[in-house]
């Protein structure tokens, strides 16, 4: 079982296709209704593919996705924490709600979902986690201040988790 967030387009859609090509059943998540079409296309090969339209910038959305994953009856072998957005332009002129939504999705949603799904993977002793970050994680990001900061957080978070689960099979 592979779980991929942000799977309706871009990197997430490409990751989902790779896992489908390798025979993984999938739980795919995205905010837009395009996720259902992706699930149909990838499920056409006979795989179990569930598309979940959910807002991972909210606690309710994260909890809902975790419930869909648990309903699959087994822990994921692959967890791709990929969903994210960017907000560009001068920070002092930007919309505060957009900046806070970026943090909610790119940072809080990732931490929340990892905390809900990673323990079962560790208990199972098998799995891989991919946290999508960016080269923006390693340098200041003028005109992308919140985005770059969120990617720096994700990079650090992923590296810390890697050390913490070392030897667990994940």
């Amino acid at each position: 079982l592979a779980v991929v967030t942000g799977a309706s387009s871009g990197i997430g859609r490409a990751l989902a296709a790779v896992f489908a090509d390798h025979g993984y059943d999938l739980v795919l998540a995205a905010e837009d209704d395009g996720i259902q079409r992706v699930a149909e296309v990838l499920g056409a090969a006979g795989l179990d593919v569930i598309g979940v339209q959910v807002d991972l910038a909210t606690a309710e959305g994260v909890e809902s996705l975790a419930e869909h994953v648990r309903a699959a009856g087994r822990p994921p072998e692959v967890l791709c924490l990929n969903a994210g957005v960017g907000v560009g332009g001068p920070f002092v002129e930007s919309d505060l709600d957009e900046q806070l939504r970026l943090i909610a999705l790119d940072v809080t949603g990732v931490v929340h979902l990892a905390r809900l799904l990673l323990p079962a993977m560790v208990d199972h002793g098998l799995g891989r986690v991919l946290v999508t970050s960016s080269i923006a994680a390693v340098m200041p990001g003028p005109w992308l201040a919140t985005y770059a900061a969120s990617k720096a957080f994700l990079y650090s978070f992923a590296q810390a988790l890697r050390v913490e689960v070392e030897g667990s099979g994940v």
Side-chain angles (χ1 to χ4, degrees):
L1 178 66
V3 176
V4 182
T5 66
S8 63
S9 63
I11 293 169
R13 171 68 175 84
L15 288 168
V18 168
F19 291 116
D21 287 346
H22 286 86
Y24 281 82
D25 292 329
L26 301 164
V27 176
L28 307 175
E31 182 180 27
D32 62 278
D33 60 5
I35 195 63
Q36 299 306 330
R37 179 70 183 130
V38 172
E40 289 171 16
V41 168
L42 296 179
L47 302 170
D48 253 350
V49 181
I50 300 167
V52 183
Q53 185 176 352
V54 63
D55 183 357
L56 297 176
T58 68
E60 298 80 14
V62 172
E63 297 279 345
S64 175
L65 177 57
E67 284 304 313
H68 279 88
V69 173
R70 288 185 194 113
R74 61 194 190 274
E77 292 180 8
V78 177
L79 175 58
C80 295
L81 301 168
N82 172 72
V85 295
V87 175
F91 179 77
V92 299
E93 297 172 12
S94 67
D95 181 272
L96 178 59
D97 289 337
E98 286 183 19
Q99 298 290 350
L100 294 175
R101 180 166 172 68
L102 179 153
I103 295 166
L105 177 61
D106 293 13
V107 175
T108 306
V110 169
V111 171
H112 191 172
L113 191 59
R115 183 59 185 84
L116 293 177
L117 299 181
L118 189 55
M121 295 171 71
V122 170
D123 288 347
H124 188 65
L126 177 69
R128 298 288 182 260
V129 178
L130 172 71
V131 178
T132 303
S133 183
S134 166
I135 192 67
V138 299
M139 66 187 95
W143 297 280
L144 291 168
T146 310
Y147 174 81
S150 75
K151 295 306 177 178
F153 177 92
L154 292 175
Y155 179 75
S156 179
F157 180 66
Q159 293 297 318
L161 288 182
R162 181 178 184 171
V163 171
E164 289 186 25
V165 301
E166 187 174 5
S168 71
V170 176

